[in-house]
Amino acid sequence: MSVGTVPRWFGGVALTDRARALIAESRRRRVLTPLAYASLWHQAAPRTSQREALAMLAEPGILVALLTGGNRTGKSELGAMYAVASAAGRDAVIVDGNGKRPVYWVRKFLARACLPAHLVRKQPSDVWACSPTFAAARKQIRPKIRRWVPQGSSTVGWNSTSEAEIVIAGTGGKGIITSKAYRQFDADSQTWEGAAIGALILDEQPNSYNCLAAGLSRCVDFKARALMCVTPLRGKRDWLYQRFIRDPAPWMAHRSLHGVDNPHIDEATRQLMLASQPAWSRNSRD
């Protein structure tokens, strides 16, 4: 056996130096481009699927996709992943500093999740990730987005309770996610004007259809699509139910996720969480 291939023990298995180097490279790349290694859970119908939920955005003629589900179903995580991929663009590449090899991390994410390539446009762009308030954004969608951006991405005010940005590494400053708030629009609708965005992500429900319409008006230039991730708690008289569930337009799509299908959540813990809610809320959150 030549020098450099002497077996070493790793987890009870004899590995060559080459195998150990490959394992180290894989671990390094997971840190460098975490989204490339993300796994979307899939359960065959009639159960629910993160993969199919995100794939509905790629269906012909769809402008707005509504994703409903209870707590801990992974819908906000899905919104964060879509925000990062859309901001970076399908052809995003990070050069592995050790191996000097390009990593096409968005394409790898799409292939790993069995998602169509046209779900994400080629070029980097501005993306809006919208929350009820900036305080909610700071605790909910922003940490999830931060988890999936590539190493070297930079932030502006990301930990503040005001509008903030994260700039995706490797995009030459062209891939940006802006954290917006519905309360910001409610106070001054002009704060939701002026931009041309590559995707619109809405984490929980806007307070009005006008707020949604303002966001959609920013999608026109790039034929961008909107993903709404909502736990439906406002009943059947609310505008969201009226427009998306009862009488949906042909450019709208709807899927649901159910917590019992999520393999990352312990079912006993999930049931304990639901038990603390009143009956009407428990049904919606489930």
PDB file of all heavy atoms in Angstrom, residues 101-123:
ATOM      1  N   ARG A 101     -12.802  24.209  -6.465  1.00  0.00           N
ATOM      2  CA  ARG A 101     -13.814  23.752  -7.410  1.00  0.00           C
ATOM      3  C   ARG A 101     -15.101  24.539  -7.198  1.00  0.00           C
ATOM      4  O   ARG A 101     -15.497  24.798  -6.057  1.00  0.00           O
ATOM      5  CB  ARG A 101     -14.086  22.258  -7.238  1.00  0.00           C
ATOM      6  CG  ARG A 101     -12.905  21.374  -7.641  1.00  0.00           C
ATOM      7  CD  ARG A 101     -13.365  19.949  -7.931  1.00  0.00           C
ATOM      8  NE  ARG A 101     -13.953  19.319  -6.765  1.00  0.00           N
ATOM      9  CZ  ARG A 101     -13.259  18.594  -5.895  1.00  0.00           C
ATOM     10  NH1 ARG A 101     -11.958  18.456  -6.045  1.00  0.00           N
ATOM     11  NH2 ARG A 101     -13.859  18.022  -4.877  1.00  0.00           N
ATOM     12  N   PRO A 102     -15.776  24.903  -8.280  1.00  0.00           N
ATOM     13  CA  PRO A 102     -17.032  25.653  -8.141  1.00  0.00           C
ATOM     14  C   PRO A 102     -18.147  24.767  -7.607  1.00  0.00           C
ATOM     15  O   PRO A 102     -18.258  23.598  -7.976  1.00  0.00           O
ATOM     16  CB  PRO A 102     -17.319  26.117  -9.565  1.00  0.00           C
ATOM     17  CG  PRO A 102     -16.642  25.110 -10.445  1.00  0.00           C
ATOM     18  CD  PRO A 102     -15.416  24.683  -9.694  1.00  0.00           C
ATOM     19  N   VAL A 103     -18.969  25.333  -6.730  1.00  0.00           N
ATOM     20  CA  VAL A 103     -20.115  24.620  -6.179  1.00  0.00           C
ATOM     21  C   VAL A 103     -21.380  25.364  -6.634  1.00  0.00           C
ATOM     22  O   VAL A 103     -21.624  26.488  -6.193  1.00  0.00           O
ATOM     23  CB  VAL A 103     -20.064  24.567  -4.636  1.00  0.00           C
ATOM     24  CG1 VAL A 103     -21.266  23.799  -4.093  1.00  0.00           C
ATOM     25  CG2 VAL A 103     -18.756  23.945  -4.159  1.00  0.00           C
ATOM     26  N   TYR A 104     -22.130  24.759  -7.522  1.00  0.00           N
ATOM     27  CA  TYR A 104     -23.390  25.357  -7.992  1.00  0.00           C
ATOM     28  C   TYR A 104     -24.479  24.961  -7.008  1.00  0.00           C
ATOM     29  O   TYR A 104     -25.263  24.045  -7.239  1.00  0.00           O
ATOM     30  CB  TYR A 104     -23.693  24.886  -9.418  1.00  0.00           C
ATOM     31  CG  TYR A 104     -22.743  25.464 -10.433  1.00  0.00           C
ATOM     32  CD1 TYR A 104     -21.562  24.803 -10.758  1.00  0.00           C
ATOM     33  CD2 TYR A 104     -23.008  26.692 -11.042  1.00  0.00           C
ATOM     34  CE1 TYR A 104     -20.669  25.354 -11.687  1.00  0.00           C
ATOM     35  CE2 TYR A 104     -22.130  27.243 -11.970  1.00  0.00           C
ATOM     36  CZ  TYR A 104     -20.960  26.569 -12.268  1.00  0.00           C
ATOM     37  OH  TYR A 104     -20.084  27.119 -13.178  1.00  0.00           O
ATOM     38  N   TRP A 105     -24.530  25.687  -5.912  1.00  0.00           N
ATOM     39  CA  TRP A 105     -25.273  25.256  -4.738  1.00  0.00           C
ATOM     40  C   TRP A 105     -26.783  25.369  -4.889  1.00  0.00           C
ATOM     41  O   TRP A 105     -27.519  24.553  -4.321  1.00  0.00           O
ATOM     42  CB  TRP A 105     -24.789  25.996  -3.503  1.00  0.00           C
ATOM     43  CG  TRP A 105     -24.817  27.492  -3.581  1.00  0.00           C
ATOM     44  CD1 TRP A 105     -23.889  28.291  -4.182  1.00  0.00           C
ATOM     45  CD2 TRP A 105     -25.796  28.358  -3.027  1.00  0.00           C
ATOM     46  NE1 TRP A 105     -24.237  29.612  -4.044  1.00  0.00           N
ATOM     47  CE2 TRP A 105     -25.398  29.685  -3.331  1.00  0.00           C
ATOM     48  CE3 TRP A 105     -26.958  28.158  -2.290  1.00  0.00           C
ATOM     49  CZ2 TRP A 105     -26.144  30.797  -2.938  1.00  0.00           C
ATOM     50  CZ3 TRP A 105     -27.703  29.257  -1.890  1.00  0.00           C
ATOM     51  CH2 TRP A 105     -27.294  30.556  -2.215  1.00  0.00           C
ATOM     52  N   VAL A 106     -27.289  26.338  -5.655  1.00  0.00           N
ATOM     53  CA  VAL A 106     -28.742  26.428  -5.847  1.00  0.00           C
ATOM     54  C   VAL A 106     -29.219  25.297  -6.755  1.00  0.00           C
ATOM     55  O   VAL A 106     -30.249  24.667  -6.489  1.00  0.00           O
ATOM     56  CB  VAL A 106     -29.141  27.802  -6.418  1.00  0.00           C
ATOM     57  CG1 VAL A 106     -30.642  27.837  -6.708  1.00  0.00           C
ATOM     58  CG2 VAL A 106     -28.775  28.913  -5.439  1.00  0.00           C
ATOM     59  N   ARG A 107     -28.475  25.042  -7.820  1.00  0.00           N
ATOM     60  CA  ARG A 107     -28.827  23.905  -8.689  1.00  0.00           C
ATOM     61  C   ARG A 107     -28.790  22.596  -7.914  1.00  0.00           C
ATOM     62  O   ARG A 107     -29.635  21.716  -8.119  1.00  0.00           O
ATOM     63  CB  ARG A 107     -27.867  23.836  -9.881  1.00  0.00           C
ATOM     64  CG  ARG A 107     -28.074  24.939 -10.913  1.00  0.00           C
ATOM     65  CD  ARG A 107     -27.169  24.744 -12.111  1.00  0.00           C
ATOM     66  NE  ARG A 107     -27.404  25.737 -13.135  1.00  0.00           N
ATOM     67  CZ  ARG A 107     -28.312  25.630 -14.108  1.00  0.00           C
ATOM     68  NH1 ARG A 107     -29.068  24.542 -14.164  1.00  0.00           N
ATOM     69  NH2 ARG A 107     -28.463  26.580 -15.006  1.00  0.00           N
ATOM     70  N   LYS A 108     -27.826  22.468  -7.006  1.00  0.00           N
ATOM     71  CA  LYS A 108     -27.732  21.247  -6.202  1.00  0.00           C
ATOM     72  C   LYS A 108     -28.930  21.120  -5.269  1.00  0.00           C
ATOM     73  O   LYS A 108     -29.470  20.026  -5.084  1.00  0.00           O
ATOM     74  CB  LYS A 108     -26.426  21.253  -5.409  1.00  0.00           C
ATOM     75  CG  LYS A 108     -26.162  19.958  -4.666  1.00  0.00           C
ATOM     76  CD  LYS A 108     -24.750  19.911  -4.090  1.00  0.00           C
ATOM     77  CE  LYS A 108     -24.502  18.585  -3.391  1.00  0.00           C
ATOM     78  NZ  LYS A 108     -23.112  18.502  -2.868  1.00  0.00           N
ATOM     79  N   PHE A 109     -29.348  22.235  -4.687  1.00  0.00           N
ATOM     80  CA  PHE A 109     -30.536  22.227  -3.824  1.00  0.00           C
ATOM     81  C   PHE A 109     -31.770  21.790  -4.599  1.00  0.00           C
ATOM     82  O   PHE A 109     -32.543  20.932  -4.144  1.00  0.00           O
ATOM     83  CB  PHE A 109     -30.751  23.621  -3.238  1.00  0.00           C
ATOM     84  CG  PHE A 109     -32.138  23.851  -2.683  1.00  0.00           C
ATOM     85  CD1 PHE A 109     -32.571  23.180  -1.553  1.00  0.00           C
ATOM     86  CD2 PHE A 109     -33.015  24.736  -3.308  1.00  0.00           C
ATOM     87  CE1 PHE A 109     -33.854  23.385  -1.038  1.00  0.00           C
ATOM     88  CE2 PHE A 109     -34.286  24.951  -2.812  1.00  0.00           C
ATOM     89  CZ  PHE A 109     -34.712  24.279  -1.669  1.00  0.00           C
ATOM     90  N   LEU A 110     -31.971  22.345  -5.799  1.00  0.00           N
ATOM     91  CA  LEU A 110     -33.143  22.009  -6.602  1.00  0.00           C
ATOM     92  C   LEU A 110     -33.123  20.532  -7.005  1.00  0.00           C
ATOM     93  O   LEU A 110     -34.153  19.850  -6.948  1.00  0.00           O
ATOM     94  CB  LEU A 110     -33.195  22.901  -7.841  1.00  0.00           C
ATOM     95  CG  LEU A 110     -33.420  24.400  -7.591  1.00  0.00           C
ATOM     96  CD1 LEU A 110     -33.241  25.188  -8.882  1.00  0.00           C
ATOM     97  CD2 LEU A 110     -34.794  24.650  -6.992  1.00  0.00           C
ATOM     98  N   ALA A 111     -31.959  20.045  -7.419  1.00  0.00           N
ATOM     99  CA  ALA A 111     -31.855  18.643  -7.835  1.00  0.00           C
ATOM    100  C   ALA A 111     -32.081  17.705  -6.659  1.00  0.00           C
ATOM    101  O   ALA A 111     -32.781  16.689  -6.777  1.00  0.00           O
ATOM    102  CB  ALA A 111     -30.487  18.389  -8.468  1.00  0.00           C
ATOM    103  N   ARG A 112     -31.515  18.040  -5.511  1.00  0.00           N
ATOM    104  CA  ARG A 112     -31.656  17.196  -4.318  1.00  0.00           C
ATOM    105  C   ARG A 112     -33.105  17.095  -3.882  1.00  0.00           C
ATOM    106  O   ARG A 112     -33.563  16.048  -3.405  1.00  0.00           O
ATOM    107  CB  ARG A 112     -30.796  17.776  -3.195  1.00  0.00           C
ATOM    108  CG  ARG A 112     -30.775  16.983  -1.905  1.00  0.00           C
ATOM    109  CD  ARG A 112     -29.925  17.710  -0.862  1.00  0.00           C
ATOM    110  NE  ARG A 112     -29.945  17.022   0.417  1.00  0.00           N
ATOM    111  CZ  ARG A 112     -29.051  16.116   0.796  1.00  0.00           C
ATOM    112  NH1 ARG A 112     -28.075  15.787  -0.025  1.00  0.00           N
ATOM    113  NH2 ARG A 112     -29.131  15.535   1.987  1.00  0.00           N
ATOM    114  N   ALA A 113     -33.866  18.201  -4.066  1.00  0.00           N
ATOM    115  CA  ALA A 113     -35.269  18.238  -3.657  1.00  0.00           C
ATOM    116  C   ALA A 113     -36.221  17.814  -4.770  1.00  0.00           C
ATOM    117  O   ALA A 113     -37.442  17.896  -4.585  1.00  0.00           O
ATOM    118  CB  ALA A 113     -35.625  19.641  -3.180  1.00  0.00           C
ATOM    119  N   CYS A 114     -35.675  17.387  -5.913  1.00  0.00           N
ATOM    120  CA  CYS A 114     -36.495  16.959  -7.059  1.00  0.00           C
ATOM    121  C   CYS A 114     -37.422  18.088  -7.523  1.00  0.00           C
ATOM    122  O   CYS A 114     -38.593  17.849  -7.868  1.00  0.00           O
ATOM    123  CB  CYS A 114     -37.311  15.720  -6.712  1.00  0.00           C
ATOM    124  SG  CYS A 114     -36.335  14.306  -6.178  1.00  0.00           S
ATOM    125  N   LEU A 115     -36.895  19.322  -7.535  1.00  0.00           N
ATOM    126  CA  LEU A 115     -37.665  20.490  -7.950  1.00  0.00           C
ATOM    127  C   LEU A 115     -37.238  20.919  -9.347  1.00  0.00           C
ATOM    128  O   LEU A 115     -36.069  20.803  -9.708  1.00  0.00           O
ATOM    129  CB  LEU A 115     -37.436  21.643  -6.969  1.00  0.00           C
ATOM    130  CG  LEU A 115     -37.957  21.428  -5.552  1.00  0.00           C
ATOM    131  CD1 LEU A 115     -37.430  22.511  -4.620  1.00  0.00           C
ATOM    132  CD2 LEU A 115     -39.484  21.411  -5.542  1.00  0.00           C
ATOM    133  N   PRO A 116     -38.169  21.420 -10.158  1.00  0.00           N
ATOM    134  CA  PRO A 116     -37.817  21.852 -11.521  1.00  0.00           C
ATOM    135  C   PRO A 116     -36.880  23.048 -11.489  1.00  0.00           C
ATOM    136  O   PRO A 116     -37.013  23.939 -10.631  1.00  0.00           O
ATOM    137  CB  PRO A 116     -39.169  22.211 -12.141  1.00  0.00           C
ATOM    138  CG  PRO A 116     -40.074  22.466 -10.984  1.00  0.00           C
ATOM    139  CD  PRO A 116     -39.601  21.586  -9.873  1.00  0.00           C
ATOM    140  N   ALA A 117     -35.947  23.088 -12.429  1.00  0.00           N
ATOM    141  CA  ALA A 117     -34.950  24.153 -12.448  1.00  0.00           C
ATOM    142  C   ALA A 117     -35.582  25.522 -12.615  1.00  0.00           C
ATOM    143  O   ALA A 117     -35.106  26.514 -12.045  1.00  0.00           O
ATOM    144  CB  ALA A 117     -33.929  23.896 -13.564  1.00  0.00           C
ATOM    145  N   HIS A 118     -36.679  25.612 -13.376  1.00  0.00           N
ATOM    146  CA  HIS A 118     -37.269  26.928 -13.647  1.00  0.00           C
ATOM    147  C   HIS A 118     -38.013  27.509 -12.442  1.00  0.00           C
ATOM    148  O   HIS A 118     -38.548  28.612 -12.521  1.00  0.00           O
ATOM    149  CB  HIS A 118     -38.204  26.861 -14.853  1.00  0.00           C
ATOM    150  CG  HIS A 118     -39.452  26.055 -14.635  1.00  0.00           C
ATOM    151  ND1 HIS A 118     -39.509  24.697 -14.863  1.00  0.00           N
ATOM    152  CD2 HIS A 118     -40.686  26.420 -14.212  1.00  0.00           C
ATOM    153  CE1 HIS A 118     -40.731  24.263 -14.583  1.00  0.00           C
ATOM    154  NE2 HIS A 118     -41.460  25.282 -14.194  1.00  0.00           N
ATOM    155  N   LEU A 119     -38.005  26.799 -11.328  1.00  0.00           N
ATOM    156  CA  LEU A 119     -38.580  27.355 -10.102  1.00  0.00           C
ATOM    157  C   LEU A 119     -37.837  28.625  -9.683  1.00  0.00           C
ATOM    158  O   LEU A 119     -38.421  29.533  -9.085  1.00  0.00           O
ATOM    159  CB  LEU A 119     -38.511  26.319  -8.979  1.00  0.00           C
ATOM    160  CG  LEU A 119     -39.007  26.754  -7.601  1.00  0.00           C
ATOM    161  CD1 LEU A 119     -40.524  26.967  -7.620  1.00  0.00           C
ATOM    162  CD2 LEU A 119     -38.637  25.737  -6.539  1.00  0.00           C
ATOM    163  N   VAL A 120     -36.541  28.694 -10.004  1.00  0.00           N
ATOM    164  CA  VAL A 120     -35.700  29.828  -9.627  1.00  0.00           C
ATOM    165  C   VAL A 120     -35.107  30.436 -10.902  1.00  0.00           C
ATOM    166  O   VAL A 120     -34.555  29.712 -11.730  1.00  0.00           O
ATOM    167  CB  VAL A 120     -34.570  29.381  -8.681  1.00  0.00           C
ATOM    168  CG1 VAL A 120     -33.612  30.537  -8.383  1.00  0.00           C
ATOM    169  CG2 VAL A 120     -35.142  28.816  -7.386  1.00  0.00           C
ATOM    170  N   ARG A 121     -35.218  31.751 -11.055  1.00  0.00           N
ATOM    171  CA  ARG A 121     -34.633  32.412 -12.222  1.00  0.00           C
ATOM    172  C   ARG A 121     -33.109  32.349 -12.165  1.00  0.00           C
ATOM    173  O   ARG A 121     -32.525  32.203 -11.091  1.00  0.00           O
ATOM    174  CB  ARG A 121     -35.123  33.864 -12.330  1.00  0.00           C
ATOM    175  CG  ARG A 121     -34.698  34.773 -11.211  1.00  0.00           C
ATOM    176  CD  ARG A 121     -35.464  36.105 -11.246  1.00  0.00           C
ATOM    177  NE  ARG A 121     -35.277  36.817 -12.482  1.00  0.00           N
ATOM    178  CZ  ARG A 121     -34.351  37.773 -12.667  1.00  0.00           C
ATOM    179  NH1 ARG A 121     -33.530  38.100 -11.672  1.00  0.00           N
ATOM    180  NH2 ARG A 121     -34.254  38.407 -13.815  1.00  0.00           N
ATOM    181  N   LYS A 122     -32.448  32.464 -13.312  1.00  0.00           N
ATOM    182  CA  LYS A 122     -31.006  32.287 -13.374  1.00  0.00           C
ATOM    183  C   LYS A 122     -30.234  33.345 -12.604  1.00  0.00           C
ATOM    184  O   LYS A 122     -29.292  33.050 -11.884  1.00  0.00           O
ATOM    185  CB  LYS A 122     -30.533  32.289 -14.840  1.00  0.00           C
ATOM    186  CG  LYS A 122     -30.927  31.066 -15.639  1.00  0.00           C
ATOM    187  CD  LYS A 122     -30.327  31.151 -17.037  1.00  0.00           C
ATOM    188  CE  LYS A 122     -30.664  29.902 -17.846  1.00  0.00           C
ATOM    189  NZ  LYS A 122     -30.051  29.958 -19.197  1.00  0.00           N
ATOM    190  N   GLN A 123     -30.636  34.607 -12.756  1.00  0.00           N
ATOM    191  CA  GLN A 123     -29.861  35.710 -12.223  1.00  0.00           C
ATOM    192  C   GLN A 123     -30.195  35.996 -10.757  1.00  0.00           C
ATOM    193  O   GLN A 123     -31.302  35.755 -10.311  1.00  0.00           O
ATOM    194  CB  GLN A 123     -30.106  36.976 -13.047  1.00  0.00           C
ATOM    195  CG  GLN A 123     -29.738  36.863 -14.516  1.00  0.00           C
ATOM    196  CD  GLN A 123     -30.864  36.242 -15.349  1.00  0.00           C
ATOM    197  OE1 GLN A 123     -31.923  35.899 -14.823  1.00  0.00           O
ATOM    198  NE2 GLN A 123     -30.630  36.087 -16.633  1.00  0.00           N
TER     199      GLN A 123
END
